[in-house]
Amino acid sequence: HPLIIKVATIAQTRIQVYFIDNDDYFSKRHMAQDEKGEDYPDNGERAIFFARGVLETVKKLRWVPDVIHVQGWMGAVVPLYIKTAYHDEPSFANTKVVTSLFTNNLKSGFSENFKQCVEFRDAKTDLLEKYNDQFDFEELSKLAIDYSDGVIVAKKNVNKDLIKYAKSNQVPLLAYPGEDFADAYDNFYEKI
């Protein structure tokens, strides 16, 4: 699938924003569900395409991020890829990954071949053996937690099992800091 990168600038701040696009996966679609409220059957493939597209873009632009902050199910494969498939890339050699946990916005799991689709370079399917065969929102969140250097509880009503999972795996965790989170996030970045 062709990767389309679109660039825009926020005029007042002169900050550039990059969009990962693809006509098959993203054009004329909502985030996770169609107009009838049903999850797209290719959501797993879309997440993989997005993750690899973002990481390849970072490489091509020769950026060297200190922190990559992953938010939402669409980016949940990014931590796995940074720590496995891209671990030898100079762009990511010292990058720390932070994942924000949100509430579940997927109604169903990914297709049965999701684990095979994730496989890329050193991101082998055997790394996914500990997860359920049917990847759903919770399994995807656990995957992101396992390969992150820190986890942020981004909403009040995040699944308590996921918070417990992060704590049991001794991943540094920032409890929900409230709506005024900028300083808390900055302090957490410095901590990790």
Side-chain angles (χ1 to χ4, degrees), residues 14-29:
R14 295 177 32 193
I15 294 174
Q16 286 189 318
V17 180
Y18 292 77
F19 297 91
I20 300 298
D21 201 2
N22 173 275
D23 290 339
D24 296 326
Y25 286 138
F26 304 115
S27 184
K28 299 178 184 172
R29 288 191 183 196

Side-chain angles (χ1 to χ4, degrees), residues 3-140:
L3 172 66
I4 302 165
I5 303 168
K6 297 179 181 178
V7 182
T9 301
I10 301 172
Q12 294 139 338
T13 62
R14 295 177 32 193
I15 294 174
Q16 286 189 318
V17 180
Y18 292 77
F19 297 91
I20 300 298
D21 201 2
N22 173 275
D23 290 339
D24 296 326
Y25 286 138
F26 304 115
S27 184
K28 299 178 184 172
R29 288 191 183 196
H30 299 281
M31 185 64 175
Q33 286 98 17
D34 62 20
E35 298 79 18
K36 297 175 185 174
E38 299 296 322
D39 284 356
Y40 293 113
D42 62 352
N43 274 344
E45 291 176 38
R46 294 171 71 216
I48 293 165
F49 179 86
F50 177 78
R52 288 184 53 191
V54 166
L55 297 173
E56 289 296 326
T57 300
V58 169
K59 258 180 47 180
K60 294 281 186 221
L61 295 173
R62 294 192 175 108
W63 290 343
V64 182
D66 294 322
V67 176
I68 293 180
H69 190 152
V70 177
Q71 299 199 35
W73 68 268
M74 184 71 75
V77 181
V78 169
L80 169 71
Y81 282 157
I82 289 174
K83 301 298 182 176
T84 60
Y86 290 87
H87 67 94
D88 287 336
E89 297 288 344
S91 291
F92 306 110
N94 298 310
T95 300
K96 299 294 182 184
V97 182
V98 174
T99 294
S100 280
L101 297 178
F102 290 91
T103 55
N104 184 0
N105 63 346
L106 294 174
K107 294 180 179 178
S108 59
F110 292 158
S111 65
E112 292 180 20
N113 68 341
F114 178 74
K115 286 183 177 181
Q116 290 76 31
C117 291
V118 168
E119 190 164 12
F120 175 65
R121 295 184 183 163
D122 291 342
K124 303 291 186 191
T125 54
D126 62 329
L127 296 174
L128 306 176
E129 286 178 1
K130 73 183 244 180
Y131 307 102
N132 291 336
D133 286 335
Q134 182 61 45
F135 252 78
D136 58 10
F137 182 81
E138 190 166 332
E139 290 301 297
L140 195 61

